Amino acid sequence: MEVGNVTILLNYFESHNHDLKNTLVGHPYVGRFTSIEKSILMNMIDNIVKPRNILLTMKEHIKKNGTIIKQVYNAQYMYRNSK
């Protein structure tokens, strides 16, 4: 179906052209920090802890943590720029 210059693709059969992932590690929704994780993150950044150690600590304390190192670096960048 076309609407103006935009083509809209409708998926009638609800099938995908790829297999679904078993885990959501690295997915933006799973990588969001909760308020508790944010406070831990800010405290560790203020104490000059390396991002890899921040990630390891978070994964040890929160078992279902799907955060990847890039998300820690991004959060660190945003926190430092907000000061």
Side-chain angles (χ1 to χ4, degrees):
M1 170 184 348
E2 286 195 26
V3 178
N5 293 335
V6 179
T7 301
I8 299 173
L9 178 64
L10 301 175
N11 188 354
Y12 290 108
F13 301 106
E14 296 182 10
S15 63
H16 296 278
N17 61 354
H18 59 86
D19 294 332
L20 297 176
K21 293 184 178 184
N22 292 335
T23 63
L24 294 174
V25 173
H27 190 273
Y29 181 76
V30 177
R32 291 183 189 169
F33 294 109
T34 62
S35 59
I36 295 168
E37 291 172 333
K38 284 181 185 177
S39 65
I40 293 170
L41 182 74
M42 288 182 233
N43 188 15
M44 294 180 90
I45 290 170
D46 288 338
N47 290 320
I48 311 171
V49 177
K50 292 182 180 179
R52 66 176 179 222
N53 294 335
I54 293 172
L55 182 62
L56 287 173
T57 303
M58 291 182 129
K59 287 192 181 268
E60 286 174 1
H61 292 296
I62 303 161
K63 298 298 179 194
K64 292 189 175 186
N65 190 334
T67 305
I68 58 175
I69 193 71
K70 182 177 180 181
Q71 292 162 330
V72 174
Y73 277 113
N74 288 344
Q76 182 181 35
Y77 175 80
M78 295 298 288
Y79 176 68
R80 286 186 177 162
N81 285 341
S82 68
K83 284 185 169 185

